[in-house]
């Protein structure tokens, strides 16, 4: 495992431990065996990070259900062996991360399955609407669920949005400036005319922000008539959810980004049981 997630996991554990688990320290120093079980249906995500949390405290871990596996209530996900103080002091941190990541993966999987039923070539992307400090793990969970990560940070790709245009005063000027230094450029637009303008300027991706399905279809048609459609990818974003994602998937776009898969997470319920 890379150092970055290891360092983050150590921070998560330190946050919960404080100066030490004073309750678990009352227990006799004996080795115990525990198992993490699922309490509901879902897609598993984060077992390798949970394993690392317990390993950092000298425990041994056996993974039963791997990332991406589906689970039902009362299934064993991991088995942990170690001193009672070590196992119990890691419990909440491990369960919290597993719950959140599995919740994201489960939601992502549902949306991906809906998209695939309509347009298997269409990709679902996460956004930067992640919990502070958890982006790496949130985006990993999206990938496990069958989605794509998109940008991890602001330095990875140019994305010109409404506030950038408001400050600069001109979309074409910003695009020209960006093209002098960067090859890949995405522009967020709020109307059809700006979509045509961005496509004419040679951007790589156009995000159609809060477009209705009908507006997207009309925009796709105009880009085709202008012989611009083949040269640009179209991303739909804003107001897309489990109820309407199939309608958006039929509009002829290439990408869908959904913020709620990481900013409105419903965790999957797990518990640690000591026989």
């Amino acid at each position: 495992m890379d150092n970055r997630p290891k360092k983050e996991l150590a921070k998560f554990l330190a946050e919960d431990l404080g100066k030490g688990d004073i309750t678990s320290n009352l227990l006799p120093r004996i080795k115990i065996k525990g198992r993490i079980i699922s309490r509901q249906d879902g897609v598993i995500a984060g077992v390798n990070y949970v394993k690392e949390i317990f390993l950092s405290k000298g425990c041994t871990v056996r993974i039963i259900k791997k990332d991406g596996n589906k689970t039902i209530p009362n299934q064993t996900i991991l088995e942990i062996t170690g001193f009672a103080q070590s196992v119990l002091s890691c419990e909440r941190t491990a369960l919290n991360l597993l719950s959140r990541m599995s919740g994201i993966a489960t939601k992502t999987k549902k949306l991906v399955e809906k998209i695939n039923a309509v347009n298997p070539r269409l990709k679902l992307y996460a956004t930067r609407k992640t919990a502070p400090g958890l982006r790496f793990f949130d985006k990993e969970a999206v990938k496990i669920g069958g989605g794509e990560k998109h940008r991890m940070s602001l330095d990875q790709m140019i994305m010109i949005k409404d506030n950038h245009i408001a400050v600069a005063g001109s979309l074409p000027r910003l695009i020209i400036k960006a093209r002098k230094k960067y090859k890949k450029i995405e522009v967020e637009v709020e109307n059809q005319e700006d979509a045509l303008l961005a496509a004419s300027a040679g951007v790589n991706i156009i995000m159609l922000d809060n477009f209705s399905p009908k507006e997207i279809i009309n925009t796709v048609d105009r880009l085709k008539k202008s012989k611009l459609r083949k040269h640009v990818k179209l991303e739909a974003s804003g107001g897309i959810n489990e109820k309407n994602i199939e309608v958006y998937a039929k509009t002829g776009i290439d990408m869908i980004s959904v913020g709620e898969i990481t900013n409105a997470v419903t965790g999957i319920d797990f518990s640690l049981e000591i026989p």
Side-chain angles (χ1 to χ4, degrees), residues 111 115 122-129 148 150 159 186 207-209 234-241 245 253-261:
L111 296 180
I115 290 172
L122 186 61
K123 301 293 185 181
L124 175 69
Y125 287 79
T127 70
R128 285 171 37 250
K129 295 177 181 178
E148 304 292 333
H150 216 327
M159 182 183 282
E186 179 168 359
M207 179 193 289
L208 306 174
D209 185 43
L234 297 179
E235 175 182 350
S237 184
I240 303 174
N241 53 48
I245 197 165
I253 53 175
D254 307 292
M255 308 161 61
I256 291 180
S257 55
V258 179
E260 72 170 21
I261 55 178

Side-chain angles (χ1 to χ4, degrees), residues 8-247:
E8 295 300 320
L9 294 170
K11 287 180 184 178
F12 299 160
L13 191 54
E15 177 186 57
D16 200 35
L17 282 172
K19 294 180 180 179
D21 182 357
I22 58 176
T23 307
S24 294
N25 287 342
L26 297 173
L27 302 174
R29 187 168 172 77
I30 58 172
K31 283 198 170 185
I32 61 171
K33 185 174 183 178
R35 62 191 184 108
I36 292 177
I37 65 168
S38 56
R39 294 296 190 187
Q40 63 186 103
D41 295 339
V43 175
I44 300 298
V47 291
N48 292 311
Y49 303 119
V50 169
K51 178 180 178 179
E52 179 61 31
I53 289 170
F54 285 105
L55 289 180
S56 71
K57 292 299 181 182
C59 301
T60 58
V61 179
R62 181 183 172 216
I63 295 174
I64 308 298
K65 301 287 283 187
K66 296 180 180 179
D67 284 343
N69 288 169
K70 290 185 177 181
T71 187
I72 59 176
N74 299 316
Q75 281 191 327
T76 300
I77 311 303
L78 303 99
E79 293 177 346
I80 306 107
T81 303
F83 287 107
Q85 292 86 348
S86 298
V87 174
L88 296 179
S89 65
C90 294
E91 175 183 1
R92 182 42 52 197
T93 302
L95 292 178
N96 285 351
L97 187 60
L98 186 64
S99 172
R100 181 178 177 86
M101 289 187 68
S102 297
I104 292 171
T106 301
K107 180 71 171 181
T108 301
K109 186 71 173 178
K110 285 182 182 178
L111 296 180
V112 168
E113 287 176 347
K114 284 180 173 290
I115 290 172
N116 286 343
V118 176
N119 182 0
R121 295 186 300 276
L122 186 61
K123 301 293 185 181
L124 175 69
Y125 287 79
T127 70
R128 285 171 37 250
K129 295 177 181 178
T130 55
L134 287 172
R135 178 167 297 167
F136 175 87
F137 301 97
D138 283 1
K139 296 254 187 176
E140 280 291 301
V142 169
K143 189 72 176 177
I144 291 166
E148 304 292 333
K149 294 181 180 181
H150 216 327
R151 292 190 302 172
M152 287 294 292
S153 54
L154 292 170
D155 62 351
Q156 290 193 335
M157 187 181 74
I158 292 288
M159 182 183 282
I160 300 171
K161 299 171 77 81
D162 56 351
N163 285 335
H164 299 122
I165 298 168
V167 174
S170 167
L171 175 57
R173 190 184 305 139
L174 265 181
I175 293 173
I176 291 169
K177 189 173 183 180
R179 290 198 70 82
K180 290 179 180 179
K181 293 182 66 177
Y182 303 98
K183 291 183 178 180
K184 191 172 183 180
I185 300 170
E186 179 168 359
V187 173
E188 176 191 88
V189 300
E190 297 178 347
N191 58 69
Q192 191 176 114
E193 296 307 317
D194 281 348
L196 290 164
L197 176 63
S200 300
V203 304
N204 307 91
I205 306 170
I206 298 173
M207 179 193 289
L208 306 174
D209 185 43
N210 285 304
F211 278 49
S212 70
K214 185 177 180 180
E215 287 172 332
I216 293 174
I217 291 170
N218 290 338
T219 302
V220 170
D221 287 343
R222 284 199 62 185
L223 287 168
K224 285 180 178 178
K225 289 176 182 177
S226 302
K227 301 187 185 303
L228 294 168
R229 178 65 183 98
K230 291 183 180 179
H231 306 292
V232 67
K233 286 187 175 182
L234 297 179
E235 175 182 350
S237 184
I240 303 174
N241 53 48
E242 193 173 336
K243 294 180 180 179
N244 61 22
I245 197 165
E246 289 173 298
V247 177

